[in-house]
Amino acid sequence: MLGVVASGAGGVEGLLDGLIRPALAAGWRVGVTLTPTAGRWLREAGLVAEIEQATGLPVRVESRLPGEAKPHPPVDCYVVAPATATTVAKLALGLGDNQALTQVCEAIGTRGVSVVVFPCVNAAHVRHPAWAGHVAALRSAGVDLVYGEDVWPLCEPRTGEFRPLPWAAVLAAVAATRSVR
């Protein structure tokens, strides 16, 4: 089972065609959880229903109440894509302040569950003095970061430049988790 977690970064609207459908075609069962911002964006775009139809599972945004059944089966691998700078920082610090982050923070500490993260950030985020520490913390926990100039070159903020997200690189990192098992 692949747990897809997405945050509200530019390009998230390509999640269904860029990540979910190819993962389904590769044989994964896919459950999707969105941060509140991503949930709002994809709901407004009319994509939540399409994702639910493709996966056969409800898209999660909010926590379930005690006594409610778990809407997704247990996950073998989480992929967080796209992950905003805030999402990366919260994961590195263990701050699960919404359903999406709670799931991944727990997974980072769970033996046998792989975590892949694509930081969808710009050059200013990377120059922030805390950034290197966040990346180091995630790597030390065994998180596979799909990150670097060879994957998705950084741009300066406010350039208006749109670049498609590196879904193929994210999918390759997810596929590699199967060979590790």
Side-chain angles (χ1 to χ4, degrees):
M1 173 72 180
L2 180 65
V4 171
V5 172
S7 55
V12 71
E13 59 280 345
L15 186 67
L16 179 58
D17 290 330
L19 181 61
I20 296 168
R21 285 192 172 123
L24 290 166
W28 286 97
R29 184 155 189 217
V30 177
V32 178
T33 304
L34 304 171
T35 64
T37 301
R40 181 173 175 211
W41 287 10
L42 294 185
R43 205 173 298 112
E44 289 289 323
L47 292 171
V48 169
E50 285 187 57
I51 292 170
E52 290 177 338
Q53 183 177 17
T55 64
L57 294 169
V59 170
R60 295 190 74 185
V61 176
E62 296 176 3
S63 302
R64 63 184 173 85
L65 295 174
E68 288 182 335
K70 293 183 179 183
H72 295 166
V75 171
D76 302 302
C77 175
Y78 277 97
V79 58
V80 185
T84 62
T86 300
T87 294
V88 171
K90 288 179 178 183
L91 290 175
L93 296 170
L95 302 175
D97 66 350
N98 61 53
Q99 181 58 40
L101 292 174
T102 296
Q103 289 178 276
V104 181
C105 283
E106 183 176 281
I108 289 171
T110 302
R111 290 185 176 97
V113 177
S114 303
V115 178
V116 174
V117 175
F118 163 62
C120 185
V121 297
N122 63 39
H125 295 130
V126 172
R127 287 191 295 264
H128 189 282
W131 181 256
H134 296 325
V135 168
L138 291 173
R139 285 187 171 142
S140 74
V143 172
D144 183 6
L145 292 171
V146 181
Y147 174 70
E149 289 293 315
D150 57 326
V151 174
W152 204 62
L154 299 174
C155 64
E156 291 297 325
R158 300 174 192 68
T159 62
E161 179 183 345
F162 174 77
R163 297 167 299 140
L165 300 185
W167 296 119
V170 172
L171 287 161
V174 167
T177 68
R178 281 190 164 167
S179 64
V180 173
R181 297 185 185 284

